[in-house]
Amino acid sequence: MDFTMDLERRTLLKGLGLTTVGWAGSNAVQAQESSDLAYSTQEAGTVGSTVNYTDDVIYQIVTDRFQDGDSGNNPDGDLYSSDCSNLRKYCGGDWQGIIDKIRDGYLTEMGITALWISPPFENVTSVDADIGTSYHGYWARDFKDTNEFFGDMNVFEELVSVAHDNGIKVVMDFVPNHTSPSTADNSMEDGVLYDDGDYVTSYSDDPDDYFHHNGGTDYSNYEDQIYRNLYNLADFDQQEAYIDQYLKDAIRSWLDKGIDGIRVDAVAHMAPKWQKTLMDTIYDHKPVFTFGEWFLGTGESNQRYYDFSNDSGMSLLDFRFGQEIREVLREFNDDWEDFWDVIEETASQHDQVIDQVSFIDNHDMERFTVAGEEANTDLALAVLLTSRGTPTVYYGTEQYLTGGNDPENRKPMPSFDQSTTAYQIIQKLAPLRQSNAALAYGDTQQRWINSDVFFYEREFGDNVVLVGINRSQESYDISGLLTALPEGSYDDQLDGLLGGFGTSVNGDGSIDSFSLDPRTVCVWEYTGNTTEPALGHVGPTMGQTGHTVTVSGEGFGSSAGSVQFGSTDAPVVSWSDSKIEAEVPALAGGFYDVTVTDTDGVQSDAFADFEVLTDDQVSVRFVVNNAETDPGESVYVVGNVHELGEWNTDRSVGPFFNQVVYEYPNWYFDVNVPAETSIEFKFVKIDGDGNVTWESGSNRTYTTPSDSTGEYVGDWQA
């Protein structure tokens, strides 16, 4: 396999470690939350909600590059580069190093409240001259054991415990798409898979077809990206019953170790409806915030990306935000008008945009910081930490770590200096996300804009945050600025760190004309006392009857009112002024608005389209043969259960594929359906104008599996 590729292809590898293949050396009244004694259940541990990360700041760590806390677990021989001069090899960072940096205050004093760590499971231990080692953690061998170079399970559990004791959540990177490279000369380990120490299969020794054997993807279409290998990585066939259960058993075992969140790698490269069954498994076992990685390039927007975030049950890394902020504050190819367009687009496309995980850089792109232009990083961090979504800071960004594409973007942590401007920006703004609900839940409103200056406001309940930024080398005179801030005087929440200053707001919400100096950021905030129910977040956004759902916001009151799914009251598990836990009531599968009503009968605005699943979800491959279509037509399935659209062709499932696993005129699609259920359905053809052609004959019937995958095959009924 030739690993020479252009930038677009390299970035598409998304942390798989296959590109040119990183260590670590050593004025306002706050609403008071009160609990009804009748609903006095406490949070587990000392961390916040495991399904709501909107007031958190995540810190992403490439474990091997952060801090070597235990030299005794460092690799031997060719796997290891002791001075990290070879960024393709292991450099010694481990879980003990992360524990040490929690305990010495570096992470806690920065204000971060969640850690996203590299995949923790056992990886292959071979070395390839071209592609290096598995230091990054994305080349799994055994999903049920630990990476010995990061530590054993006792150390992992200690990391979780120490993090929790310090109010920090732990997010685990999960890689259910593949194992490891299967190289022609077997210089790696042929994609080998173990199950808790027992050999299962390898790519060349795969009699049960646990992997896809369809060649490598050329990214020509969505189907190709799912059912072919990402370059030479051994690509799981999740529709195989053993693999389906193996991956779900593995994630259950890690949930049992106390993790609080999951980042799912390469979600654009796995069947979307199978991933929905994965999310149902997670929420049925232990609900945690889960977000996927669907890579988008600069300026790229993809409707499938938005559809996945709204239908899969998981959120996404916010590549639309991340790529655009880089264009505005790093490359200077776009301006604030372009940025505002992205903010409006994403708010309209995502069902819950505040659940998307925003960033300015990560392990799959060049570092944001360019030497000599550190001020741009400061500006970008200020915007990131005050914008909608869950902000993620990539390790070393606070130290202005530079570097090009992989592996240069995964250099060792250069220092743990707490005096850098970037560190102090995070230190000042991260706590503000927890103390002012406008940053967690508020909509974004443009207040003043030109190509260089942007004033945006976040408002939720009686809480307001107004942010102004001048990215240019020129001063601008600002007039006509209006705000929702109440009349009064306001200090800059950055304490002048980025040239900001205090301001006064008039009784009509106006701010008198002023000059905004170059490279200046001002953050002004008001924390109010919200006294009527304001619903900010619902998580998870799908579930079965009996699953617990957390409703967050303000003004719910200290005594329990009620939570409604549609017109049905939900059993309340716990209630406080800012958080309610309720069970999904007994409802048929479908979409329901969620509302909160306080004891005075005041009802909140609705969170729209919470999805109630019919039952446990399993993945079934529907195959229809000999379905010839006219140009512009595609094949779909529609049936009598919610998951199949309840006979509504506007909600039919598809479009089906017809090129890789089965070829035209045979069509297939992997669909989530309720387990152990007798279903009725038909195949339909739908053209680009929405015209529907039903197949003839009686309704088809099929009894779905109880706990695994299934397949239905039939001919088109002409």
Side-chain angles (χ1 to χ4, degrees):
M1 184 69 181
D2 181 7
F3 291 97
T4 302
M5 60 197 76
D6 59 26
L7 174 60
E8 179 181 5
R9 289 293 178 84
R10 282 186 279 126
T11 52
L12 280 168
L13 287 175
K14 308 166 303 302
L16 303 173
L18 287 178
T19 59
T20 50
V21 198
W23 175 135
S26 314
N27 189 353
V29 179
Q30 286 199 0
Q32 179 180 352
E33 179 180 322
S34 56
S35 297
D36 182 357
L37 293 178
Y39 298 88
S40 58
T41 57
Q42 298 295 315
E43 294 267 8
T46 59
V47 298
S49 171
T50 59
V51 295
N52 178 9
Y53 277 53
T54 56
D55 63 358
D56 284 301
V57 174
I58 301 173
Y59 187 78
Q60 182 195 356
I61 292 174
V62 176
T63 300
D64 181 65
R65 303 301 155 90
F66 188 63
Q67 171 78 349
D68 188 354
D70 180 6
S71 60
N73 60 28
N74 292 344
D76 295 323
D78 286 344
L79 282 172
Y80 184 51
S81 176
S82 60
D83 61 357
C84 212
S85 58
N86 188 335
L87 291 173
R88 299 181 186 180
K89 295 186 177 184
Y90 279 88
C91 297
D94 50 31
W95 297 327
Q96 185 60 54
I98 300 173
I99 292 169
D100 293 345
K101 301 317 291 182
I102 297 174
R103 285 177 167 157
D104 74 7
Y106 180 81
L107 293 171
T108 54
E109 291 169 21
M110 196 185 338
I112 61 97
T113 51
L115 292 173
W116 160 14
I117 61 172
S118 301
F121 28 78
E122 178 182 290
N123 271 230
V124 295
T125 56
S126 298
V127 183
D128 183 277
D130 293 322
I131 60 178
T133 69
S134 62
Y135 73 90
H136 41 70
Y138 291 97
W139 296 347
R141 174 198 276 149
D142 191 333
F143 285 76
K144 297 179 181 179
D145 201 356
T146 65
N147 187 320
E148 61 184 306
F149 307 127
F150 296 166
D152 60 23
M153 194 62 78
N154 289 331
V155 182
F156 183 82
E157 292 178 330
E158 182 183 6
L159 169 60
V160 173
S161 177
V162 171
H164 288 177
D165 288 345
N166 286 273
I168 296 174
K169 307 172 188 177
V170 177
V171 178
M172 184 192 98
D173 212 322
F174 187 50
V175 192
N177 180 68
H178 59 267
T179 54
S180 60
S182 173
T183 54
D185 60 0
N186 285 335
S187 60
M188 297 302 287
E189 297 180 27
D190 194 32
V192 68
L193 177 67
Y194 284 80
D195 186 344
D196 202 16
D198 295 328
Y199 173 82
V200 176
T201 190
S202 66
Y203 197 72
S204 300
D205 176 27
D206 189 23
D208 296 310
D209 288 332
Y210 289 160
F211 297 111
H212 290 131
H213 295 272
N214 305 314
T217 180
D218 62 5
Y219 297 95
S220 59
N221 57 67
Y222 189 32
E223 176 188 7
D224 186 271
Q225 293 177 194
I226 295 172
Y227 296 102
R228 299 190 195 276
N229 295 353
L230 284 173
Y231 295 90
N232 67 342
L233 290 164
D235 194 68
F236 281 132
D237 183 356
Q238 294 90 358
Q239 198 60 31
E240 284 294 326
Y242 178 85
I243 296 301
D244 169 75
Q245 288 303 302
Y246 173 84
L247 293 170
K248 291 172 180 175
D249 287 346
I251 199 59
R252 289 188 192 100
S253 70
W254 289 102
L255 287 166
D256 289 341
K257 301 302 179 184
I259 63 170
D260 311 287
I262 302 167
R263 181 264 193 184
V264 183
D265 187 62
V267 298
H269 303 281
M270 295 176 285
K273 299 296 186 177
W274 176 82
Q275 294 183 80
K276 195 164 185 174
T277 72
L278 174 67
M279 294 311 304
D280 177 57
T281 297
I282 292 168
Y283 294 152
D284 196 45
H285 191 73
K286 177 190 174 184
V288 297
F289 180 56
T290 304
F291 57 100
E293 180 245 359
W294 185 308
F295 189 93
L296 294 178
T298 302
E300 182 183 358
S301 186
N302 186 322
Q303 188 57 48
R304 289 189 185 274
Y305 167 91
Y306 289 120
D307 291 344
F308 185 89
S309 79
N310 295 333
D311 179 67
S312 66
M314 72 173 84
S315 304
L316 286 174
L317 280 165
D318 196 347
F319 274 92
R320 286 293 285 139
F321 179 99
Q323 295 287 20
E324 188 58 30
I325 196 67
R326 292 169 69 89
E327 288 298 291
V328 175
L329 289 176
R330 185 180 190 268
E331 308 300 335
F332 287 81
N333 291 325
D334 289 350
D335 61 23
W336 288 119
E337 297 279 7
D338 300 303
F339 181 77
W340 177 241
D341 288 344
V342 169
I343 294 299
E344 290 191 299
E345 174 197 312
T346 52
S348 66
Q349 289 281 358
H350 288 293
D351 286 350
Q352 192 161 236
V353 70
I354 59 174
D355 255 352
Q356 311 314 307
V357 179
S358 52
F359 57 89
I360 65 172
D361 56 1
N362 61 33
H363 63 298
D364 294 328
M365 53 177 55
E366 292 184 358
R367 287 279 183 170
F368 189 96
T369 302
V370 176
E373 299 179 14
E374 290 82 1
N376 294 339
T377 301
D378 296 337
L379 299 180
L381 284 171
V383 175
L384 172 71
L385 292 163
T386 54
S387 292
R388 88 294 178 273
T390 298
T392 299
V393 177
Y394 187 35
Y395 85 96
T397 298
E398 77 279 15
Q399 301 299 332
Y400 304 112
L401 196 56
T402 63
N405 285 302
D406 170 14
E408 297 298 321
N409 55 0
R410 305 174 186 179
K411 295 176 185 176
M413 187 75 168
S415 72
F416 295 93
D417 183 359
Q418 296 181 238
S419 67
T420 68
T421 300
Y423 184 98
Q424 293 179 64
I425 291 168
I426 302 166
Q427 191 175 51
K428 292 178 183 297
L429 293 181
L432 189 61
R433 294 192 66 86
Q434 296 195 321
S435 65
N436 192 312
L439 291 184
Y441 310 127
D443 294 332
T444 306
Q445 185 173 358
Q446 177 220 114
R447 287 299 192 177
W448 203 100
I449 194 168
N450 65 20
S451 61
D452 288 329
V453 175
F454 185 30
F455 280 82
Y456 57 96
E457 191 164 72
R458 312 276 314 284
E459 184 176 7
F460 178 77
D462 291 336
N463 309 286
V464 184
V465 175
L466 177 63
V467 181
I469 178 171
N470 179 4
R471 69 171 185 166
S472 77
Q473 301 287 353
E474 301 178 17
S475 295
Y476 280 88
D477 292 331
I478 310 300
S479 62
L481 178 61
L482 294 173
T483 176
L485 290 167
E487 181 178 10
S489 298
Y490 297 90
D491 295 329
D492 172 36
Q493 294 303 300
L494 285 167
D495 295 327
L497 196 61
L498 297 180
F501 46 84
T503 193
S504 295
V505 177
N506 300 316
D508 61 356
S510 65
I511 298 176
D512 293 339
S513 299
F514 60 94
S515 180
L516 193 63
D517 289 341
R519 312 299 244 183
T520 292
V521 178
C522 298
V523 180
W524 303 310
E525 68 101 15
Y526 176 82
T527 306
N529 183 19
T530 305
T531 58
E532 293 186 349
L535 196 161
H537 180 272
V538 172
T541 57
M542 74 175 194
Q544 303 173 33
T545 295
H547 281 187
T548 299
V549 174
T550 301
V551 180
S552 304
E554 285 195 339
F556 300 149
S558 59
S559 298
S562 59
V563 177
Q564 298 80 34
F565 285 67
S567 59
T568 303
D569 284 350
V572 173
V573 177
S574 66
W575 187 289
S576 75
D577 189 63
S578 60
K579 190 183 80 169
I580 304 165
E581 292 179 324
E583 292 182 357
V584 178
L587 292 167
F591 296 100
Y592 299 86
D593 289 351
V594 177
T595 54
V596 174
T597 303
D598 67 14
T599 55
D600 293 326
V602 180
Q603 188 175 71
S604 70
D605 290 338
F607 171 80
D609 294 337
F610 179 94
E611 184 175 11
V612 176
L613 301 170
T614 304
D615 206 334
D616 289 336
Q617 300 290 294
V618 294
S619 180
V620 170
R621 176 166 293 168
F622 287 82
V623 182
V624 55
N625 295 319
N626 301 313
E628 296 185 352
T629 55
D630 293 329
E633 280 187 322
S634 291
V635 173
Y636 296 75
V637 64
V638 63
N640 68 330
V641 292
H642 159 70
E643 287 79 0
L644 295 180
E646 297 176 300
W647 297 119
N648 179 355
T649 56
D650 289 339
R651 291 182 47 223
S652 56
V653 180
F656 279 34
F657 300 130
N658 64 3
Q659 296 181 32
V660 179
V661 181
Y662 294 85
E663 296 182 356
Y664 181 85
N666 306 323
W667 304 70
Y668 67 100
F669 203 73
D670 299 332
V671 182
N672 66 288
V673 288
E676 207 168 3
T677 302
S678 179
I679 60 175
E680 297 183 16
F681 61 96
K682 277 191 170 184
F683 298 109
V684 296
K685 301 173 185 176
I686 304 177
D687 66 18
D689 295 324
N691 299 309
V692 180
T693 301
W694 290 79
E695 64 173 342
S696 62
S698 302
N699 293 341
R700 299 175 184 269
T701 60
Y702 175 72
T703 299
T704 62
S706 60
D707 59 0
S708 186
T709 60
E711 183 175 75
Y712 175 92
V713 181
D715 290 333
W716 176 266
Q717 298 174 161

